[in-house]
Amino acid sequence: MKTIFITGASTGLGKAAALLFQSNGWKVYATMRSTEKGKELMDLDNINVLELDVTKPEQINEVAAKVIADGGVDVVLNNAGYGLAGPAESLEDEQIVEQLNTNLLGVIRVTKAFIPYFREKKDGLFIAVTSLAGLIPVPVNSIYNTAKTGVEAFYESLAFELDNFNIVTKTVSPGIIKSAFRDNVQVGLMDEYMSTFQRGMQAMAFDTFDSTSEEIAAIVYEAVTDGKRQLNYVAGADAQRHYEHRLSLGRQGYVDYLNDYDPEG
Ligand SMILES: NC(=O)c1ccc[n+]([C@@H]2O[C@H](COP(=O)([O-])OP(=O)(O)OC[C@H]3O[C@@H](n4cnc5c(N)ncnc54)[C@H](OP(=O)(O)O)[C@@H]3O)[C@@H](O)[C@H]2O)c1
């Protein structure tokens, strides 16, 4: 039986992925900060709910050692994360540190905890949920963009570093998913940036973004099972549209597009 280890499986995409893999005959380690939130998953066959906060290095190493001793895993899905939006100058140092600690360092730590095990067995797949924000500069979202771009860079770097050991890395980059993410996003606001923020939102037509957790979980499942050497999966029509636009304009061209966008025109 194939086994997957998932972070942030209490809700949203992580939970949808846990359910999808389980229903396809996988054994699932569904990890979450509070196992109280895992009651529905606990009742299902072949799902083990474990406590894990990705900002706690000791806990990560303990949980990784436990599942490795328990039979090991084939796939590690780094999914845990939350949103932090707003102008960079409006955000407290604490908010920035916590964002990078969770969305970037959490992925690095969890991945690192499983590398020696995958290296020794010469087999393994790491997959991380990043975001369209890991591929393009989503407006007025610089710290989250930095965390997700960092994960993209980390996994692309590991694709070289771990290739000798038959370890594959992939990222899945969704646009917007209808989930608790919107309720949990931290937002810094400043009047001085309102027109910039609104121009950015209109240029990207964010209101048309609407993938479900189940749709993105299906893309994660495809990425895990398709056997392809493919670093990145741009997930959802919204993300694909914007990423293609960015590719067609180039880096400077896309920033110029956002800066010059005329909501009236
Ligand atoms: N929703 C979107 O629009 C969107 C778009 C692009 C990418 N993404 C990415 O997709 C992933 C899943 O998000 P989602 O939409 O499913 O949001 P969600 O429903 O809010 O789920 C986020 C999950 O991450 C967990 N989490 C947060 N901090 C954690 C920590 N320190 N340690 C362990 N788990 C932690 C949450 O746990 P608790 O229940 O304990 O809070 C929850 O299980 C995230 O990486 C997010 O950045 C989301």
Side-chain angles (χ1 to χ4, degrees):
M1 182 181 270
K2 289 273 190 187
T3 304
I4 186 167
F5 181 95
I6 305 175
T7 66
S10 65
T11 181
L13 174 55
K15 182 176 179 184
L19 290 168
L20 181 61
F21 278 88
Q22 187 269 355
S23 69
N24 279 286
W26 286 61
K27 179 175 173 181
V28 177
Y29 287 102
T31 73
M32 57 193 72
R33 284 192 286 198
S34 164
T35 53
E36 279 291 296
K37 293 187 180 176
K39 285 190 177 140
E40 190 189 326
L41 296 180
M42 267 175 215
D43 290 341
L44 298 172
D45 288 341
N46 301 320
I47 298 194
N48 294 317
V49 173
L50 298 175
E51 187 179 318
L52 181 65
D53 181 330
V54 301
T55 65
K56 296 184 174 166
E58 270 182 34
Q59 192 183 40
I60 291 170
N61 291 332
E62 279 166 22
V63 171
K66 180 179 160 40
V67 304
I68 290 166
D70 200 27
V73 298
D74 300 285
V75 178
V76 173
L77 171 60
N78 275 288
N79 163 76
Y82 70 94
L84 177 64
E89 65 165 302
S90 73
L91 301 171
E92 300 295 335
D93 188 64
E94 220 173 44
Q95 290 178 295
I96 295 169
V97 169
E98 189 59 20
Q99 168 67 200
L100 297 176
N101 197 17
T102 305
N103 287 19
L104 175 57
L105 298 183
V107 177
I108 294 174
R109 291 187 193 107
V110 172
T111 303
K112 209 170 150 276
F114 284 94
I115 289 176
Y117 162 71
F118 279 170
R119 177 173 50 72
E120 276 164 29
K121 74 168 181 161
K122 282 197 172 293
D123 192 29
L125 170 61
F126 289 113
I127 181 158
V129 180
T130 61
S131 170
L132 177 62
L135 305 176
I136 74 169
V138 171
V140 200
N141 212 41
S142 59
I143 306 302
Y144 182 82
N145 295 348
T146 300
K148 293 297 191 181
T149 306
V151 176
E152 291 285 349
F154 180 54
Y155 268 35
E156 192 169 337
S157 305
L158 291 185
F160 170 72
E161 193 171 310
L162 301 179
D163 183 63
N164 252 357
F165 311 114
N166 194 33
I167 301 171
V168 174
T169 56
K170 297 189 172 197
T171 57
V172 170
S173 313
I176 284 184
I177 311 167
K178 285 186 267 183
S179 70
F181 186 90
R182 289 180 199 195
D183 308 323
N184 297 331
V185 65
Q186 295 178 25
V187 186
L189 291 175
M190 281 179 72
D191 288 347
E192 292 85 340
Y193 289 87
M194 265 314 162
S195 62
T196 307
F197 178 73
Q198 278 158 3
R199 189 175 69 245
M201 294 301 104
Q202 284 167 332
M204 294 198 66
F206 267 123
D207 50 342
T208 63
F209 284 37
D210 62 354
S211 296
T212 63
S213 296
E214 289 71 25
E215 285 166 343
I216 304 300
I219 295 170
V220 170
Y221 188 80
E222 183 196 334
V224 166
T225 56
D226 66 9
K228 290 184 190 162
R229 293 278 166 154
Q230 180 176 329
L231 264 173
N232 178 244
Y233 295 70
V234 183
D238 49 10
Q240 277 171 6
R241 189 171 67 244
H242 283 287
Y243 187 50
E244 277 163 23
H245 191 197
R246 155 73 182 260
L247 288 179
S248 72
L249 295 179
R251 288 178 73 178
Q252 183 63 50
Y254 194 76
V255 173
D256 290 344
Y257 159 74
L258 293 175
N259 284 335
D260 297 342
Y261 186 79
D262 178 4
E264 308 301 323

